[in-house]
Amino acid sequence: MQELEDIGSMASLAAWDEQTYCAVKGREARGQVLATLAAIRHERVVDGAYGEALDELATDGDGLSDDQRAMVRVAKHLHDREARLPADLVRELAEQASRTFRAWLDGRESRDFARYAPELERMLALKVQEADALAYETRYDALLDEYEPGMRTSRLEPILHGLRDELVPFVQRVLERPAPDRSFLDGPFEPEAQLALTRRIVGEVGFDFEAGRQDLSAHPFCSSPSKRDVRLTTRVYDSLEPGALFSSLHEMGHGLYEQGLAARERTAIGRAPSLGLHESQSRFWENQIGRSGPFWQHFLPIAKEAFPAQLGGVDADRFLRAVNRVAADAIRVDADELTYNLHILLRYELERALIDEELAVADLPAAWQAKMEAYLGYTPRDDVEGVMQDIHWSSGGLGYFPTYTLGNLYAAAIGERMRADIEIDEHVAAGDFAPILGWLRERVHSQGFLLPAEDLMQRVTGEPLGHAPFMRYVRAKFGALYGVE
Amino acid sequence: MQELEDIGSMASLAAWDEQTYCAVKGREARGQVLATLAAIRHERVVDGAYGEALDELATDGDGLSDDQRAMVRVAKHLHDREARLPADLVRELAEQASRTFRAWLDGRESRDFARYAPELERMLALKVQEADALAYETRYDALLDEYEPGMRTSRLEPILHGLRDELVPFVQRVLERPAPDRSFLDGPFEPEAQLALTRRIVGEVGFDFEAGRQDLSAHPFCSSPSKRDVRLTTRVYDSLEPGALFSSLHEMGHGLYEQGLAARERTAIGRAPSLGLHESQSRFWENQIGRSGPFWQHFLPIAKEAFPAQLGGVDADRFLRAVNRVAADAIRVDADELTYNLHILLRYELERALIDEELAVADLPAAWQAKMEAYLGYTPRDDVEGVMQDIHWSSGGLGYFPTYTLGNLYAAAIGERMRADIEIDEHVAAGDFAPILGWLRERVHSQGFLLPAEDLMQRVTGEPLGHAPFMRYVRAKFGALYGVE
């Protein structure tokens, strides 16, 4: 298990480096290296003697600690799942991921979906093979389970649709209201000063920069070669939002979770039970804390010191409205808390149709546009604003998108529960984040993968997964900001 | 073979990252990851079926190309060598390397050899085990062969001593002459401007920054996760020398060699035949080119633009004398071309005594001091200036040091031969490095490990390895600079 974790650590570092410091001409070789690592990892995960040992421990777990029992459960699930995959397919998938990623970059640069489509088709064909080999009830289940172990389409879809049915009319009412002024967010804000402010805020909230770092990349992400070496990335523009700050608060949420897993480093349970749960932490810190009044009550004076000309005349209320502006817009990663979930719904429906071979890659741009118009009333100007905006499918990450919405739902449930326990607003307004981080550390981070995601959340929040806490949260927050019910 | 190269690539990246961007608290986990990689690599190198296949191909190589024959020779040498090492020892060595490295850092920081000594003793005990398991004629041979395949102590030592016997009296005569003024090199020179100038010069000489990069680290090195992703590191002080520039020219020499191996990427012969030959390239570019009159005829005006206040009144002759100042000083990496080899001789004699268990780690500081006084007439102020100045032993790199002097000898022989073919000085003075790099690419870089080091050099220079070309080179250069014979 430790060797598997070490190989994962290596892959994490290699992928981080690919997106931060890797030389342009070295990317192809990096793809081969990542494929070799994936092949070595797979070989060890499906090893027969390892599988027998796990079977034995799962059947007769006498003398195992709770942690060890959980390790066996997690490792056995992975072994049983991957044992169904041919080794050649694993390597092909990894190699194709690098090719499709490069074609995606190429397609974006030339603003030409046709440069991307052939490699995406090859990737999709491999994902169909993978899903069929995994042999879940549906192909989509097979893919979803990689990111959200235990989740099934039959459970997910009603939740997404229930959310949609309440959310769409609420978004409509918000969008009918006058949009708040956000022009001051365009600055320009000096990039170096943005990064310095970001680093200060992220550090004050509780990210340990001796056990992590922050670098620049085209697309922000969080990667952890070790739980004591957690790497955030961000990108910086002339604007404050979109910009380095809120994307960093998001990645910091992931990073705090990873740093909080340090006690279980190098074990199969030294990880989040699901990506949705991981995302709950980034959403919680970015949105519920980072886009809240008390947060800017504390940090706006500090931001004004860094940017007196740009922010001098902006009060906390105006700032708050600006960074919570709801808009029917093109780009998922820049979307507000309300429309974000509609971006996800669109992707979920498209990727499900792709994997079920009900939608051809060639028809994807048109299908994308149609759904954007239906859910958001927005028509993308081109495919860079449309189907080529996300990296996920290029690396084979079908089944990943729903975890973002699950993250929003979990975050809302966590926030509701935490608010019953501690005075969040008072602590945040005082710049005292330790009680909040401590609450999360104790109940969520330190639990690792002892329990599956839904079980852990049931225990933390006292409620089953659903969209109700999220709708209560956004109705309260955006209702107040926009004066709607 | 490709998988082995990929694992090597990964290890190279992980080690680079450990010294550049790895979070402080993540270093321990990095050590474990590197140990796991070493174990996986070893497991594959010594694999029985792989060994049989290599045996078969070595016995009956009909139908193999020259390249393939060489690959089999190189891979089989490695297989046969490593098959003698127990897997546990390989892992222990890798794990101990991280521990000893951390103890070395600790010892340096506290300026206390006693903090370093216990881990160095453990490392030495493992190296003795390793050398005995490898079962060469002498223990030192076993270690030397890792870095300088085919070289033996019985051949090396007479060369080192022959060099010493001619060099020591020559150094004495040089040191009796008045030392040139080097005070202007202390600047201060703004670090950012030094790095910009360095990057410009390194790029103009021919390093491809799309297939590589340069970062900062405590100790300069060159690492290549891919031949198209070659990473130089440097460090920068207020002074120009020691500083970023010449250390970068040195690492650039390694980097140009690596980039020149790209055609054989992912094969067992996509590497230098020995570290000595690798070092010949760094020495050649740093010293024979970078510390030559024509080089500064071309670059001094450019350097003056970057540093008008510091260099405005310095002419090329004064600059050249300053950067070729010979001094009996403490630190190997800052040593001039003449005394450098005496630093190496000292280390060679000490590490041979260590591995033969004729010298105890506890007695190392005193032995170091005695030899420094004997060869260089210099007494180290403390162990940071003495035995703790080099990283090598901390990572188990005994047998490595002689490759530096072999590099100097090879570089001199290469320079002499190249000078017979092309007008080096004219090209350098014109800033036209392509003919020089082209000559090296054709005769050295593109050859990879087709031939062992001495065979390749015999073909390139027409002469067997010896110290004569080096002595001719330094007598001519330093004889002129210092007015001695």
Side-chain angles (χ1 to χ4, degrees):
Chain A
M1 279 184 197
Q2 288 181 333
E3 285 189 358
L4 282 175
E5 296 303 314
D6 288 344
I7 294 168
S9 161
M10 217 42 272
S12 165
L13 176 67
W16 169 85
D17 183 85
E18 188 177 24
Q19 307 216 22
T20 50
Y21 295 115
C22 184
V24 180
K25 293 181 183 170
R27 286 201 188 129
E28 192 175 335
R30 179 59 49 84
Q32 291 161 339
V33 168
L34 283 166
T36 292
L37 274 182
I40 291 172
R41 186 193 149 282
H42 177 73
E43 185 185 304
R44 294 187 170 232
V45 166
V46 303
D47 179 80
Y50 177 58
E52 281 164 30
L54 291 172
D55 281 344
E56 197 182 314
L57 289 166
T59 314
D60 177 11
D62 285 358
L64 294 186
S65 67
D66 287 350
D67 268 44
Q68 288 171 328
R69 250 182 265 270
M71 287 177 209
V72 169
R73 188 197 78 235
V74 171
K76 185 168 153 51
H77 176 75
L78 196 65
H79 170 83
D80 293 348
R81 179 184 155 92
E82 292 209 17
R84 292 179 221 130
L85 294 178
D88 286 352
L89 180 59
V90 171
R91 178 173 270 281
E92 277 177 74
L93 276 162
E95 285 172 352
Q96 185 62 37
S98 276
R99 276 193 297 272
T100 315
F101 172 68
R102 289 196 300 276
W104 175 71
L105 290 177
D106 185 31
R108 282 171 64 88
E109 206 173 317
S110 56
R111 307 189 92 80
D112 183 1
F113 182 72
R115 309 270 290 255
Y116 172 40
E119 295 296 347
L120 181 58
E121 272 168 13
R122 275 178 211 114
M123 174 54 85
L124 183 62
L126 291 173
K127 294 301 284 187
V128 167
Q129 279 184 50
E130 182 190 4
D132 287 345
L134 288 171
Y136 282 58
E137 193 169 331
T138 71
R139 279 185 187 156
Y140 197 79
D141 279 349
L143 303 184
L144 182 62
D145 190 74
E146 180 176 352
Y147 309 109
E148 203 67 26
M151 180 55 73
R152 293 295 176 267
T153 317
S154 57
R155 170 144 179 73
L156 172 71
E157 193 161 297
I159 292 172
L160 292 180
H161 286 168
L163 174 65
R164 177 194 61 193
D165 294 346
E166 280 200 55
L167 190 57
V168 168
F170 183 69
V171 171
Q172 286 303 330
R173 288 202 297 283
V174 167
L175 288 176
E176 282 158 14
R177 304 285 301 168
D181 167 42
R182 61 161 308 290
S183 58
F184 68 88
L185 291 174
D186 288 334
F189 296 81
E190 301 81 2
E192 282 307 318
Q194 282 190 62
L195 291 171
L197 176 66
T198 296
R199 194 187 152 95
R200 174 172 172 181
I201 293 177
V202 166
E204 281 190 22
V205 171
F207 184 79
D208 180 357
F209 276 104
E210 287 195 353
R213 46 181 298 113
Q214 181 168 53
D215 297 89
L216 296 175
S217 67
H219 302 272
F221 63 94
C222 170
S223 172
S224 54
S226 142
K227 308 304 179 194
R228 295 177 176 87
D229 185 8
V230 176
R231 306 198 174 185
L232 318 177
T233 74
T234 188
R235 74 280 187 269
V236 61
Y237 309 126
D238 284 342
S239 59
L240 193 63
E241 167 71 343
L245 182 57
F246 286 96
S247 89
S248 296
L249 290 174
H250 180 98
E251 302 308 334
M252 175 201 73
H254 288 301
L256 291 173
Y257 198 167
E258 287 294 304
Q259 291 183 339
L261 290 162
R264 291 208 172 79
E265 173 128 86
R266 285 187 107 207
T267 78
I269 58 171
R271 57 169 49 80
S274 81
L275 290 198
L277 202 56
H278 220 305
E279 189 73 8
S280 76
Q281 300 304 290
S282 55
R283 296 284 153 172
F284 177 82
W285 286 104
E286 177 192 355
N287 293 329
Q288 300 207 31
I289 304 297
R291 295 184 199 269
S292 73
F295 192 80
W296 291 104
Q297 196 178 320
H298 178 69
F299 280 120
L300 189 59
I302 292 163
K304 285 185 182 198
E305 279 170 33
F307 300 109
Q310 297 91 329
L311 297 177
V314 178
D315 65 21
D317 184 62
R318 191 169 155 218
F319 190 89
L320 191 67
R321 285 172 194 278
V323 300
N324 283 293
R325 182 168 175 267
V326 177
D329 230 328
I331 306 296
R332 173 184 61 85
V333 296
D334 298 333
D336 56 83
E337 288 182 76
L338 291 182
T339 59
Y340 193 95
N341 296 300
L342 302 176
H343 287 273
I344 295 305
L345 187 66
L346 170 161
R347 286 156 177 77
Y348 161 73
E349 290 173 346
L350 293 179
E351 67 184 12
R352 223 195 130 179
L354 284 171
I355 199 69
D356 286 340
E357 295 174 290
E358 291 165 2
L359 174 67
V361 166
D363 299 328
L364 198 46
W368 186 286
Q369 185 176 323
K371 284 200 188 282
M372 274 301 285
E373 287 165 359
Y375 292 147
L376 282 155
Y378 183 88
T379 307
R381 284 172 301 175
D382 62 16
D383 293 331
V384 174
E385 256 205 15
V387 66
M388 288 197 291
Q389 72 180 260
D390 293 309
I391 193 176
H392 303 61
W393 292 340
S394 81
S395 60
L398 284 87
Y400 191 117
F401 282 119
T403 69
Y404 291 118
T405 285
L406 292 173
N408 286 331
L409 304 187
Y410 281 138
I414 287 170
E416 211 166 61
R417 177 67 235 178
M418 188 191 292
R419 208 167 279 279
D421 286 351
I422 54 177
E423 301 293 343
I424 299 179
D425 292 349
E426 281 75 354
H427 289 304
V428 171
D432 178 18
F433 299 96
I436 297 166
L437 182 54
W439 192 99
L440 293 169
R441 282 270 150 87
E442 184 191 334
R443 286 166 178 76
V444 182
H445 305 177
S446 69
Q447 301 305 305
F449 200 168
L450 271 174
L451 293 175
E454 285 202 60
D455 295 352
L456 177 60
M457 279 299 94
Q458 171 79 45
R459 206 172 72 179
V460 171
T461 68
E463 280 188 62
L465 174 64
H467 67 275
F470 178 78
M471 284 310 303
R472 283 195 290 270
Y473 161 69
V474 295
R475 279 185 207 280
K477 175 172 179 176
F478 292 90
L481 285 169
Y482 277 83
V484 297
E485 293 295 308
Chain B
M1 280 184 197
Q2 287 182 334
E3 287 188 358
L4 283 175
E5 296 302 314
D6 289 345
I7 295 169
S9 161
M10 218 41 272
S12 165
L13 176 67
W16 169 85
D17 183 85
E18 188 176 25
Q19 307 216 20
T20 51
Y21 295 116
C22 185
V24 179
K25 293 182 183 170
R27 287 202 187 128
E28 191 174 336
R30 179 58 50 84
Q32 291 161 338
V33 167
L34 283 166
T36 292
L37 274 181
I40 291 172
R41 186 192 149 283
H42 177 74
E43 184 184 305
R44 294 187 169 231
V45 166
V46 303
D47 178 80
Y50 177 59
E52 281 164 30
L54 291 172
D55 281 343
E56 197 181 315
L57 289 166
T59 315
D60 176 12
D62 285 358
L64 293 186
S65 67
D66 287 351
D67 267 43
Q68 289 170 328
R69 249 182 266 270
M71 286 176 210
V72 170
R73 188 197 78 235
V74 171
K76 187 169 152 48
H77 177 75
L78 196 65
H79 169 84
D80 293 348
R81 180 185 155 91
E82 293 208 17
R84 291 181 221 127
L85 295 178
D88 285 352
L89 180 59
V90 171
R91 178 172 268 283
E92 277 176 75
L93 276 161
E95 285 173 352
Q96 185 61 37
S98 277
R99 276 194 296 272
T100 317
F101 172 67
R102 290 197 299 276
W104 174 71
L105 290 176
D106 184 30
R108 282 171 64 87
E109 207 174 315
S110 56
R111 306 190 93 79
D112 183 1
F113 181 71
R115 309 271 291 254
Y116 172 39
E119 295 297 346
L120 182 58
E121 271 169 13
R122 275 178 210 115
M123 173 55 83
L124 183 63
L126 291 173
K127 294 302 282 187
V128 167
Q129 279 185 50
E130 181 190 6
D132 287 345
L134 289 169
Y136 282 56
E137 194 169 331
T138 71
R139 279 185 187 157
Y140 197 77
D141 279 349
L143 303 184
L144 181 62
D145 190 75
E146 179 176 352
Y147 308 109
E148 203 68 23
M151 180 55 73
R152 293 294 175 267
T153 315
S154 57
R155 170 145 179 72
L156 171 71
E157 192 161 299
I159 292 171
L160 293 181
H161 285 168
L163 174 65
R164 177 193 62 192
D165 294 346
E166 280 200 55
L167 190 56
V168 167
F170 183 68
V171 171
Q172 286 304 329
R173 287 202 299 283
V174 167
L175 289 176
E176 282 159 13
R177 304 285 301 169
D181 166 42
R182 62 160 308 290
S183 57
F184 68 89
L185 291 174
D186 288 335
F189 295 83
E190 300 81 3
E192 282 308 317
Q194 282 191 61
L195 290 171
L197 175 67
T198 295
R199 193 187 153 97
R200 174 172 172 180
I201 293 177
V202 166
E204 282 190 23
V205 171
F207 185 79
D208 180 356
F209 276 104
E210 287 195 352
R213 48 180 297 113
Q214 181 168 54
D215 298 270
L216 296 175
S217 67
H219 302 272
F221 64 94
C222 170
S223 171
S224 54
S226 142
K227 308 303 179 194
R228 295 177 176 88
D229 186 6
V230 176
R231 308 200 173 183
L232 318 177
T233 74
T234 188
R235 75 278 188 269
V236 62
Y237 310 125
D238 285 342
S239 59
L240 193 64
E241 167 71 345
L245 182 57
F246 286 95
S247 90
S248 295
L249 290 173
H250 180 98
E251 302 309 334
M252 176 200 74
H254 288 301
L256 291 172
Y257 197 168
E258 287 295 304
Q259 290 183 338
L261 290 162
R264 291 209 172 78
E265 174 128 85
R266 285 187 106 206
T267 78
I269 58 172
R271 58 169 48 82
S274 80
L275 290 199
L277 202 56
H278 220 303
E279 188 74 6
S280 77
Q281 301 302 291
S282 55
R283 296 285 153 170
F284 177 82
W285 286 104
E286 177 192 354
N287 292 329
Q288 300 207 29
I289 303 297
R291 295 183 200 269
S292 75
F295 192 81
W296 290 104
Q297 196 178 320
H298 178 69
F299 280 119
L300 189 57
I302 292 163
K304 284 185 182 197
E305 280 170 33
F307 300 109
Q310 296 91 330
L311 296 178
V314 178
D315 66 19
D317 185 62
R318 190 169 155 221
F319 190 89
L320 191 67
R321 285 172 195 278
V323 299
N324 282 293
R325 181 168 175 269
V326 177
D329 229 328
I331 305 297
R332 174 185 61 85
V333 296
D334 298 332
D336 57 84
E337 289 182 75
L338 292 182
T339 58
Y340 192 96
N341 295 300
L342 302 176
H343 287 274
I344 296 305
L345 186 67
L346 170 161
R347 286 157 177 77
Y348 161 72
E349 290 173 346
L350 293 179
E351 67 184 11
R352 227 196 126 178
L354 283 172
I355 198 71
D356 286 339
E357 295 174 291
E358 291 165 1
L359 174 66
V361 166
D363 299 329
L364 198 46
W368 185 287
Q369 183 175 326
K371 284 200 189 283
M372 274 300 285
E373 287 165 358
Y375 292 148
L376 283 154
Y378 183 89
T379 307
R381 283 173 300 175
D382 61 16
D383 293 331
V384 174
E385 256 205 13
V387 66
M388 288 198 290
Q389 73 179 260
D390 294 308
I391 193 176
H392 303 60
W393 292 339
S394 82
S395 59
L398 285 86
Y400 190 117
F401 282 119
T403 69
Y404 291 119
T405 284
L406 292 173
N408 286 330
L409 304 187
Y410 280 138
I414 286 170
E416 211 167 60
R417 177 67 235 178
M418 188 192 291
R419 208 166 280 279
D421 286 351
I422 54 177
E423 301 292 343
I424 299 178
D425 291 349
E426 281 77 352
H427 289 303
V428 171
D432 178 17
F433 300 96
I436 298 165
L437 181 54
W439 193 98
L440 292 170
R441 282 270 150 87
E442 184 190 333
R443 286 166 179 76
V444 183
H445 305 178
S446 69
Q447 302 304 305
F449 200 170
L450 273 173
L451 293 175
E454 285 203 60
D455 295 353
L456 176 60
M457 279 300 95
Q458 170 80 43
R459 206 172 74 178
V460 171
T461 67
E463 280 187 62
L465 173 62
H467 67 276
F470 179 78
M471 284 310 303
R472 283 195 291 270
Y473 161 69
V474 295
R475 276 184 209 281
K477 176 173 178 175
F478 291 90
L481 286 169
Y482 277 83
V484 296
E485 293 295 308

